[in-house]
Amino acid sequence: MRKMGLNEIREEYLKFFESKDHLRLPSFSLVPQSDKSLLLINAGMAPLKPYFTGLQVPPSKKITTCQKCIRTGDIDNVGKTSRHGTFFEMLGNFSFGDYFKNEIIPWAWEFVTEVLGVPKDKLYATIYLEDDEAYEIWANKTDIDPSRIFRLGKDDNFWEIGQGPCGPCSEIHFDRGNGKINTVEEFLKSAEEDRVVEFWNLVFTQFDKDEEGVYHRLPNPNIDTGMGLERIATIMQGVNNIFEVDTIKSILDEVCKLANVKYGDINKNDVSIRIITDHIRSMTFMISDGVLPSNEGRGYVLRRILRRAARHGRLLGISSTFLHELCDVAIENSKDAYPELKEKRDFIKKVIKLEEERFEETIDSGIQILKDFIEELQNKGINTLAGDKAFKLYDTYGFPLELTLEILEEKSMSVDIDSFNREMQSQRERARAAREESNYMGSEDSILNRIPSELNTAFVGYDSLVCESKVSLLIKDEEFVSLLKEGDKGIIITEETPFYAEMGGQVGDKGLIASNTFKAEVLDCKKNILGKTLHFVNIIEGSVELNSNVTLKVDEARRNSIRKNHTATHMLHEALKLVLGEHVNQAGSYVDDSRLRFDFTHFSAVSEEELKKIEHIVNENIMKVYSVDTNIMSIDEAKQSGAVALFDEKYKDEVRVVAVGDFSKELCGGTHVKNSGEIGLFRIVSEAGVAAGVRRIEAVSGLNALNYIEEKNELLKEAAVSLRCLERDVINKILSQAAELKEKEKEILELKRKIAGSVEEKLLNNVKEVKGVKLVAAALKDIDGDSLRDLADKIRDNIKDGVVVLGSAYSGKVQLVAMASKTAVNKGVHCGKIVKEVAAVTGGGGGGRPDMAQAGGKLPEKLEEALNIVEQILDTLVK
């Protein structure tokens, strides 16, 4: 058995199945497409679900892939053992109703023994207990020793999740030990002790399990195999775990170098080294597929692993940000198999660095909050932090539970772990609820997904907005019907259509479908998961039957406005790159007839000056009246031509490239103007942040841009009339009035302070004493917060040894302040406790330090009553 690198094994596997007439597909994005049951792709077959269910037709009946995957279910164990990881690659070969057991079992044996050269006396195969067919093939179509085939039960060798497609499987195992295993009992014991390692699972999807639990044979059984690339690499390289595999070890070695530690010396350090090594792979691949750190969904997964890695860098003594540099090693390891890593290197590093810096800030905030919690516990004589508080630190501030436990341990304190776990479980349930439930294959059991696959609609809407066609399908109320009549709402499918179906951020067309017997208003146009074009209609006259000849007519004015906005979106994208930098990538878009919305990757607010430049560049190129040309070419030709592709889009072999002169070039299936001059005018309406590292621009074009300018002009005219000045003098008039107002406010404030000053003398003449502590408590009117604090400060200075509690009814609310001298505090006075009780009477709350505290209330009429209890409160506090 020759030693093979991880990258070499991957290539050999894919080449092998290509030699067996499989279509090699590149790895799908880690972000699931049209599958709301998953946050992230977690298995090789996950992106292929629609092919297994028949919802979509595969590009080939035989496919092979190496799929990048993320699993975070046992993230807390990552690092603690050398077996767990969050990122892995899954080698797979798939048959969609083509070959079955007779082919895959001999192929698998051939690849393992002849291509990889694994010794046959180190291999075992397991099959499902009742799968005689698989046993016969292993025994007669390979040269495995039959005594090395073990029959196991459902738990080990039968694949099913609830009802739906399922079937037996056969696993191939490698024996790390010496001597032959002779019985099933010995085999199971060896597997439990990790002597025997399963590395390839061949799933034979041959049944459909119904609600009663009955297994029905599928007419076209499928093959779904999965071999963990990292796991087979450990076998081929003769190492004990994934962290010793060549590509992964190169990351581990770099972590050790950065931290100046040696792997294997101290277990605590090893845990941190493994966590960083694993997590840097996950975050690098996730960001390359367009995932950005956030507080929900897959963005939260990314934030969690990134911050976890950063935290363990601190534990190793790495004081500065380092992950953004470490990701270079992960990129270099995998750039040949995943060229997008190299293409997006700068962007990946920028995202990681920014999140590291944010974590530096939040972890410091978290430590301060935890210190406050500790002080509160010490004051109450409690040594266990409530689980909800620990969870708030974890969830809101990104503060790891391990760090909370560590800091509390130093103070002989702990966390209510059960309560923390309940909070964590609640969050998981909320996240699960946010993902739509689905059946085994993540598909919706809807009439729309049962449309015959052979039924297709040709789109002619790039060149024409009107066409004649035949009705091929009618749907109403989740049923296929033969007739739609006046008043019905339903779906019409035709053989041809000029209607653009919502896709790529562009909304669907509206318009009419009619004949001499009926008229239907097209309310929307969408595609189902099979890619069938659906016209959602309201029948306003007559009736329509199957196979009727009809005329389809798109609303031309609306389509024209959409086209202008769509082409303007492409031009905006290019202008953003020119002004802000090449790191800008599209993160989402929406185009309808009234506006356009464009989300893009950028790490700070776009300044007014930058927005002006962007808007100017777009308008300047509109006025150059560039021809807008579309060309069909291969994906490689498109990329070589400089066309911009979307971050995580999966493209077909042939793509449509839209070029606006020599200014902009993008892959796009949408509708566009014939030349940039048709857009007329472009105006940016707003710019804002929508997520960490993602900004959003909303804009208008054409007549909508003109209307926007006219609305602004009307506002300017109204402002000029209200201010009684010329339009050109509006700004100066506003500034002048603002300055006058500021002066008036100063005068009012000064008057209030004088009033407060006159009150000071009266208050000093009404000093009380409680257990030797002087007290001034009074209710005032129309004194603002600043003046109230100044007054309290002066009175405290005057009485020297005592307490001042003042309240003011101001602007319909209550403001309270309490101040105490140092000697009063030493006697037990605590201003925070005083104002908390006083404020409660006025329907409010507050608190603060022993020597100074503030509060507020909602009931000014209760102020006198509230301040009357100060003497009583003070009596309980003073020792």
Side-chain angles (χ1 to χ4, degrees), residues 28-147:
F28 290 78
S29 168
L30 281 167
V31 178
Q33 304 297 309
S34 303
D35 184 352
K36 294 172 184 174
S37 68
L38 293 175
L39 271 184
L40 293 158
I41 293 298
N42 60 4
M45 63 77 68
L48 306 173
K49 287 178 183 178
Y51 302 151
F52 280 109
T53 58
L55 283 176
Q56 291 181 1
V57 178
S60 168
K61 286 191 172 184
K62 296 189 282 191
I63 284 174
T64 184
T65 65
C66 181
Q67 177 63 45
K68 47 198 173 184
C69 302
I70 298 273
R71 284 184 192 168
T72 56
D74 53 4
I75 190 171
D76 293 327
N77 287 322
V78 173
K80 292 177 184 175
T81 74
S82 57
R83 295 172 55 199
H84 292 89
T86 57
F87 177 83
F88 63 97
E89 295 177 65
M90 186 63 77
L91 297 164
N93 59 281
F94 311 92
S95 166
F96 307 104
D98 188 272
Y99 61 84
F100 202 49
K101 297 177 193 176
N102 264 315
E103 290 78 16
I104 186 52
I105 291 173
W107 286 345
W109 187 249
E110 179 187 350
F111 178 75
V112 172
T113 60
E114 295 181 25
V115 178
L116 297 185
V118 180
K120 295 169 187 175
D121 61 0
K122 286 286 184 182
L123 296 170
Y124 293 88
T126 61
I127 59 171
Y128 177 51
L129 201 62
E130 299 171 8
D131 196 351
D132 295 334
E133 182 185 13
Y135 180 84
E136 291 301 321
I137 296 167
W138 272 113
N140 299 319
K141 293 201 171 184
T142 75
D143 60 357
I144 189 173
D145 178 348
S147 66

Side-chain angles (χ1 to χ4, degrees), residues 444-510:
E444 297 172 5
D445 186 22
S446 162
I447 190 77
L448 302 184
N449 293 331
R450 296 203 295 272
I451 294 168
S453 58
E454 65 274 8
L455 192 153
N456 291 303
T457 303
F459 178 62
V460 298
Y462 289 131
D463 305 310
S464 175
L465 298 184
V466 182
C467 84
E468 306 291 327
S469 190
K470 182 183 283 188
V471 175
S472 47
L473 202 66
L474 296 171
I475 298 173
K476 180 191 172 188
D477 299 333
E478 284 290 305
E479 287 185 5
F480 297 125
V481 295
S482 58
L483 177 81
L484 288 176
K485 61 183 185 300
E486 188 171 325
D488 284 348
K489 286 192 174 178
I491 294 168
I492 296 177
I493 299 177
T494 56
E495 292 178 355
E496 290 184 326
T497 184
F499 284 81
Y500 183 85
E502 181 180 331
M503 192 168 45
Q506 180 178 326
V507 295
D509 282 327
K510 294 182 179 181

Side-chain angles (χ1 to χ4, degrees), residues 553-590:
K553 186 176 183 182
V554 174
D555 181 335
E556 185 172 1
R558 184 173 180 274
R559 166 73 83 84
N560 285 340
S561 293
I562 293 170
R563 291 191 305 159
K564 288 171 185 177
N565 281 335
H566 201 152
T567 307
T569 303
H570 284 217
M571 298 177 77
L572 170 62
H573 192 182
E574 184 60 32
L576 285 164
K577 285 180 176 287
L578 291 172
V579 174
L580 304 179
E582 282 298 317
H583 66 276
V584 168
N585 276 293
Q586 181 173 335
S589 71
Y590 176 84

Side-chain angles (χ1 to χ4, degrees), residues 285-352:
F285 276 91
M286 286 174 75
I287 296 167
S288 81
D289 281 344
V291 180
L292 293 170
S294 71
N295 286 330
E296 58 186 20
R298 59 186 68 94
Y300 181 76
V301 174
L302 172 60
R303 173 162 283 168
R304 186 181 175 197
I305 63 170
L306 200 155
R307 290 185 169 189
R308 193 167 187 253
R311 136 110 169 117
H312 280 274
R314 278 188 167 208
L315 293 181
L316 288 174
I318 305 173
S319 55
S320 59
T321 57
F322 69 101
L323 294 171
H324 64 287
E325 296 298 340
L326 185 61
C327 77
D328 274 325
V329 187
I331 291 169
E332 285 302 310
N333 283 338
S334 302
K335 66 182 181 183
D336 293 335
Y338 304 100
E340 64 271 19
L341 293 175
K342 187 177 179 183
E343 293 166 13
K344 296 164 187 168
R345 184 193 301 262
D346 292 343
F347 177 76
I348 294 167
K349 295 179 72 172
K350 181 90 172 178
V351 172
I352 293 175

Side-chain angles (χ1 to χ4, degrees), residues 250-262:
S250 67
I251 300 172
L252 185 143
D253 289 343
E254 188 64 23
V255 175
C256 293
K257 184 178 168 186
L258 285 168
N260 195 26
V261 294
K262 187 179 178 185

